[in-house]
Amino acid sequence: MVGLSFDNFQRNQFLSKNGVQTPQAISTGTTIVGCKFKDGVVIAADTRATAGPIVADKNCEKLHRLAPKIWCAGAGTAADTEMVTQLVQSNLELHSMSLNREPRVSSALQMLKQHLFKYQGHIGAYLIVAGVDTKGSHLFSIHAHGSTDIGFYQSLGSGSLAAMAVLERDWKEDLTKEEAMRLCADAIEAGIWNDLGSGSNVDLCVMEVGKDAQLYRNYLTPNVREAKARNYKFERGTTAILKESIYNLCEVEEVRATTRDAMEVDA
Amino acid sequence: MCTNIQSNPLRLIPGEAHSSRVSVTAFGESAPSAPGLHDTLRSGEGPLSVSSKINNRHPLESRVQNWDTTQREHQLEAYRRIFGAADPIKREMELKLVQDTDFRPAVLGGSSNLHRDILLNKETSIDWEDIYSGKFAQTTCTNIAAASDRPPMDFHTEMEKRFGI
């Protein structure tokens, strides 16, 4: 069978007909936002990964690199967002090597939406794609069935309502970079505090026209774990030292290496 | 190119694959001694259940399977209407030439299909089908659920099939 395998579908149907419990649909939790500023775009995400009612990872990464200057925040099924972005990352790289040009955000958008449309929403990836290219900065959102949206600010995931409230209140045209970072972090924090599916820290990525994209991993850490009041670790020096002797296991000899000319590389 | 189940050449996406008739040999090779029958002994799958091959399939399966074919048909039909019949005929002939000459035995991993990919404009893209390439599948025609994970066909069988012995 070429591509994805559907071999077990009939078996699973048979099992569920005969009383075996099939996995139920569970809601996924995330807050991701993106917002444009004067000459660039910022995306941000929380870092909580949930498996039903359980927090599976307290500091996961939801910002994926599609190209050096095109990043993407993912909500929905974690594995699906991860694999789809990896596939599109490979495709963009192949494409840009073939054309000898930097990839465009609209190419990334097109690849993602066509792939998701082909699988009719069975790939549960909800993405905010942002980046800069020769045409300036761009911000898009994509839903699992392949529909896309353009806007100055976007939010997705279960905490999107809390985040959108902040974005609607504070967003204005021609924000500065610092204001946009602040706004995105605030929106994610609204999700962290008010949505049960989102939590932990704020990751942030800034893409500015003519500059390298900058990822701020754990830009804000509002949920640092408190140190325990008591522990069993003994302080250094608890036991008195009665005797001390230090000796070298091997002799270290310093030899000055002859310097060679640096290898010639194409700049 | 396999025969397509769709009749409308301007379809953008594959239609529902409810075939009105089905043959026993549609889901694998036919036996050399009895060309009308499924080759049960060599398929490595046991007796063939035609009903399970066409009923209760996953709704996504036929869509994904027929995706590239549908896109190709659509494209060729568009070329035919714009440039005339010669254009799609030329393209299909080129593809056929490349597919027939680009040969590497399946036991050695099969052909890389580079030239085919260039003609199909796929040389700069990668998809799940390139990674899970079904190299272990025995059939050359990708009918619905025709091939599953089976060991590669041995060299002699392959040559026999290529030359129609």
Side-chain angles (χ1 to χ4, degrees):
Chain A
M1 169 95 206
V2 181
L4 302 186
S5 171
F6 297 94
D7 286 350
N8 285 335
F9 178 69
Q10 284 173 317
R11 184 204 67 170
N12 295 343
Q13 270 198 324
F14 175 78
L15 288 176
S16 71
K17 208 172 71 188
N18 285 280
V20 177
Q21 285 288 316
T22 46
Q24 298 298 308
I26 49 168
S27 65
T28 54
T30 293
T31 311
I32 52 175
V33 300
C35 107
K36 286 177 87 165
F37 60 95
K38 202 154 174 287
D39 38 23
V41 56
V42 183
I43 55 171
D46 70 309
T47 65
R48 173 179 287 179
T50 54
I54 300 161
V55 176
D57 190 346
K58 287 191 276 193
N59 199 11
C60 71
E61 280 188 70
K62 292 178 187 174
L63 300 182
H64 312 277
R65 194 185 69 223
L66 295 179
K69 288 175 185 177
I70 304 172
W71 286 68
C72 161
T77 314
D80 288 355
T81 58
E82 188 76 32
M83 295 324 283
V84 163
T85 49
Q86 276 182 18
L87 186 74
V88 169
Q89 182 185 4
S90 310
N91 268 318
L92 277 176
E93 183 66 26
L94 283 170
H95 203 241
S96 72
M97 283 196 291
S98 160
L99 296 174
N100 210 9
R101 284 172 169 77
E102 281 193 11
R104 290 205 186 156
V105 188
S106 53
S107 315
L109 180 83
Q110 197 80 348
M111 285 175 186
L112 282 166
K113 76 187 286 186
Q114 285 183 354
H115 189 81
L116 293 175
F117 177 69
K118 180 175 167 184
Y119 288 92
Q120 286 196 305
H122 287 271
I123 296 178
Y126 298 80
L127 307 163
I128 290 180
V129 184
V132 290
D133 54 28
T134 49
K135 297 279 177 188
S137 64
H138 305 273
L139 178 67
F140 303 108
S141 72
I142 311 175
H143 288 248
H145 287 260
S147 60
T148 53
D149 240 347
I150 310 177
F152 288 106
Y153 48 90
Q154 302 276 5
S155 76
L156 281 181
S158 61
S160 62
L161 296 97
M164 186 49 86
V166 173
L167 289 169
E168 292 274 7
R169 186 190 66 190
D170 289 342
W171 187 84
K172 58 184 193 293
E173 237 172 294
D174 292 337
L175 287 167
T176 64
K177 180 181 149 191
E178 285 70 29
E179 281 172 334
M181 287 168 70
R182 180 78 253 156
L183 174 59
C184 280
D186 281 349
I188 292 296
E189 259 197 288
I192 287 176
W193 301 128
N194 299 308
D195 173 42
L196 284 180
S198 319
S200 299
N201 309 323
V202 180
D203 281 357
L204 203 111
C205 184
V206 185
M207 286 143 284
E208 223 175 330
V209 175
K211 287 184 188 164
D212 286 339
Q214 214 170 358
L215 176 71
Y216 296 89
R217 172 86 173 130
N218 293 351
Y219 178 68
L220 293 181
T221 49
N223 289 302
V224 182
R225 190 173 169 175
E226 285 287 312
K228 280 186 178 157
R230 302 184 134 180
N231 62 28
Y232 290 106
K233 278 193 183 144
F234 291 102
E235 291 278 317
R236 253 170 188 261
T238 307
T239 315
I241 297 167
L242 299 179
K243 200 173 81 182
E244 188 178 319
S245 76
I246 296 170
Y247 59 92
N248 289 331
L249 282 171
C250 58
E251 289 292 319
V252 178
E253 194 177 333
E254 275 193 30
V255 182
R256 193 149 171 255
T258 52
T259 52
R260 283 195 197 155
D261 291 337
M263 190 174 69
E264 268 185 37
V265 284
D266 294 330
Chain B
M1 257 304 114
C2 296
T3 49
N4 195 12
I5 40 173
Q6 278 90 45
S7 53
N8 183 358
L10 284 180
R11 279 204 90 97
L12 276 171
I13 56 170
E16 294 291 323
H18 297 305
S19 37
S20 52
R21 61 196 181 88
V22 67
S23 86
V24 188
T25 51
F27 302 102
E29 299 304 311
S30 60
S33 51
L37 290 177
H38 175 68
D39 196 352
T40 311
L41 290 177
R42 258 177 260 193
S43 73
E45 273 194 331
L48 172 75
S49 158
V50 174
S51 84
S52 84
K53 293 279 186 197
I54 52 176
N55 296 325
N56 276 331
R57 307 301 301 189
H58 194 278
L60 199 56
E61 188 172 354
S62 70
R63 181 182 169 95
V64 172
Q65 211 109 53
N66 296 318
W67 187 267
D68 287 341
T69 323
T70 314
Q71 303 282 315
R72 173 92 178 150
E73 300 258 313
H74 176 82
Q75 207 173 26
L76 291 179
E77 179 64 18
Y79 287 144
R80 190 184 70 79
R81 292 186 182 192
I82 299 168
F83 306 116
D87 189 87
I89 291 173
K90 176 172 155 275
R91 283 171 196 273
E92 285 294 274
M93 281 171 69
E94 282 174 348
L95 191 65
K96 183 84 170 51
L97 276 174
V98 156
Q99 272 175 340
D100 286 354
T101 48
D102 196 10
F103 173 64
R104 193 158 173 256
V107 278
L108 298 178
S111 165
S112 70
N113 288 325
L114 173 67
H115 304 290
R116 189 200 65 185
D117 284 352
I118 290 172
L119 286 179
L120 292 176
N121 195 23
K122 288 203 299 196
E123 83 272 28
T124 59
S125 68
I126 187 167
D127 206 343
W128 308 133
E129 283 77 16
D130 299 303
I131 298 155
Y132 306 109
S133 58
K135 280 267 169 67
F136 295 113
Q138 208 165 20
T139 45
T140 47
C141 181
T142 50
N143 269 313
I144 301 169
S148 61
D149 289 333
R150 271 173 269 160
M153 127 171 75
D154 70 290
F155 184 67
H156 295 287
T157 317
E158 199 179 1
M159 291 311 280
E160 275 172 18
K161 207 148 80 163
R162 278 184 71 81
F163 291 107
I165 300 169

